[in-house]
């Protein structure tokens, strides 16, 4: 079993107006096989948490730790974090012109495992995973995400998740921009990968619709840069009904939080 521990994490970004604190003491522990949903208004720091864990250089860590099986990933480069077992499915996956999906995936798999997968088995695994995600086989030879629709990009993220088999998967608004059919297919892919590999999931979302497909064990409310409440799946229903106003700093409301 693996454990991801986030301890009193403080993070800022540099803006034209100066330093802006975003994470203000975020603390969370996730174990293998657990699914944690992180919900909250825009601007609360949910995506900052995701990208800080992945190693985005825009986010500057002031203090705190993020331990994956006891090792502080904040001291690692982004590729070292991936090799340690961390995976980020981005809200807006980037295009990589000139690099085919096949080469990208096999190179990533080789780097993470420390050896290249056998070509025949790899081709079979890739084909099966793409078929399950209802992806056209032609996508394997296309450049990474280039010309892909929003739904196709999200399926490509889940394809990576299935093949790379991380210890922990951070899903940053994976439901964003998906229609009902695409949401179901993507969610089924996440559930299938988790069942096969028993990794832990941190799922950032605003809405409960994805939680109907990917069932959380624990739901957290994230506001003003830290976790303000934790509960079971019923907490998501409460948020859907009542919103986030009660969890925002005094004098703020959901309208200003969404600005």
């Amino acid at each position: 079993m693996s454990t991801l521990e986030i301890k009193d994490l403080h993070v800022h970004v540099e803006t034209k107006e100066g330093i802006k604190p975003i994470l203000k003491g975020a603390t969370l522990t996730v174990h293998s096989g657990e699914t944690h949903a992180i919900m909250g208004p825009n601007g609360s720091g949910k995506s900052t948490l995701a990208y800080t864990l992945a190693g985005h250089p825009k986010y500057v860590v002031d203090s705190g730790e993020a331990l994956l099986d006891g090792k502080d990933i904040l001291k690692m480069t982004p590729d070292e974090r991936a090799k340690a077992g961390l995976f980020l499915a981005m809200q807006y996956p980037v295009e990589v012109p000139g690099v085919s999906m096949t080469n990208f995936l096999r190179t990533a798999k080789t780097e993470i495992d420390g050896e290249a997968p056998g070509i025949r088995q790899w081709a079979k695994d890739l084909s099966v995973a793409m078929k399950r995600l209802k992806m056209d086989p032609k996508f394997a030879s296309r450049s990474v995400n280039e010309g892909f629709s929003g739904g196709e990009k999200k399926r490509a993220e889940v394809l990576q998740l299935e093949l790379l088999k991380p210890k922990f998967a951070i899903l940053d608004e994976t439901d964003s921009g998906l229609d009902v059919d695409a949401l179901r297919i993507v969610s089924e892919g996440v559930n299938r990968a988790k069942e096969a590999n028993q990794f832990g999931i941190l799922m950032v979302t605003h809405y409960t619709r994805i939680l109907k497909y990917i069932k959380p064990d624990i739901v957290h409310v994230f506001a003003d840069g830290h976790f303000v409440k934790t509960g079971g799946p019923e907490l998501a229903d409460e948020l859907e009904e009542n919103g986030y106003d009660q969890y925002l700093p005094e004098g703020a409301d959901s309208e200003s939080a969404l600005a």
Side-chain angles (χ1 to χ4, degrees):
M1 174 177 289
S2 291
T3 302
L4 178 63
E5 299 176 90
I6 302 165
K7 297 183 176 182
D8 195 25
L9 190 58
H10 291 255
V11 171
H12 77 263
V13 294
E14 302 278 352
T15 70
K16 293 180 180 179
E17 291 74 33
I19 292 175
K20 180 181 179 181
I22 300 183
L23 298 187
K24 305 171 185 178
T27 297
L28 177 68
T29 299
V30 184
H31 300 289
S32 296
E34 294 180 347
T35 297
H36 291 239
I38 301 175
M39 305 185 71
N42 279 336
S44 59
K46 303 184 306 299
S47 291
T48 295
L49 176 62
Y51 283 93
T52 298
L53 293 175
H56 195 297
K58 174 181 176 181
Y59 303 103
V60 181
V61 176
D62 297 309
S63 62
E65 295 178 309
L67 308 177
L68 201 168
D69 293 336
K71 297 180 180 179
D72 192 352
I73 60 173
L74 300 180
K75 298 178 181 178
M76 302 179 185
T77 59
D79 64 300
E80 289 172 340
R81 301 180 197 203
K83 291 175 184 177
L86 198 67
F87 176 89
L88 171 66
M90 295 182 284
Q91 181 180 359
Y92 303 110
V94 298
E95 298 183 1
V96 188
V99 179
S100 72
M101 285 291 297
T102 298
N103 288 338
F104 169 73
L105 288 167
R106 192 162 189 266
T107 299
K109 184 67 172 174
T110 299
E111 287 296 315
I112 287 174
D113 289 357
E115 60 180 359
I119 293 178
R120 288 187 179 180
Q121 186 61 48
W122 174 254
K124 179 182 177 181
D125 291 345
L126 178 59
S127 176
V128 168
M130 291 185 71
K131 187 176 294 184
R132 286 173 174 170
L133 288 165
K134 294 181 169 56
M135 296 180 70
D136 189 321
K138 294 179 181 177
F139 278 79
S141 59
R142 289 176 57 178
S143 293
V144 177
N145 292 326
E146 189 174 30
F148 288 22
S149 68
E152 289 164 347
K153 288 180 178 180
K154 295 301 176 72
R155 294 187 203 194
E157 293 283 279
V158 177
L159 178 64
Q160 295 173 48
L161 178 61
E162 288 204 54
L163 294 171
L164 298 181
K165 302 177 181 179
K167 292 180 180 179
F168 291 95
I170 304 169
L171 311 180
D172 185 23
E173 298 195 36
T174 296
D175 51 340
S176 176
L178 297 182
D179 61 27
V180 174
D181 291 332
L183 177 62
R184 177 180 53 80
I185 292 168
V186 165
S187 298
E188 287 174 352
V190 172
N191 289 333
R192 188 167 52 246
K194 181 191 173 187
E195 183 177 355
N197 302 298
Q198 286 300 301
F199 50 70
I201 295 176
L202 283 76
M203 181 166 51
V204 174
T205 184
H206 290 291
Y207 308 110
T208 60
R209 65 175 194 151
I210 194 172
L211 305 186
K212 296 175 182 177
Y213 298 95
I214 303 174
K215 304 291 186 181
D217 300 299
I218 302 170
V219 175
H220 306 275
V221 182
F222 199 85
D224 193 30
H226 63 286
F227 294 96
V228 296
K229 187 172 182 178
T230 294
E234 69 281 354
L235 179 55
D237 297 326
E238 176 193 314
L239 294 170
E240 182 80 359
E241 182 175 350
N242 300 322
Y244 299 107
D245 283 356
Q246 63 181 306
Y247 301 109
L248 296 174
E250 187 175 349
D253 56 33
S254 57
E255 291 295 326
S256 61
L258 291 170

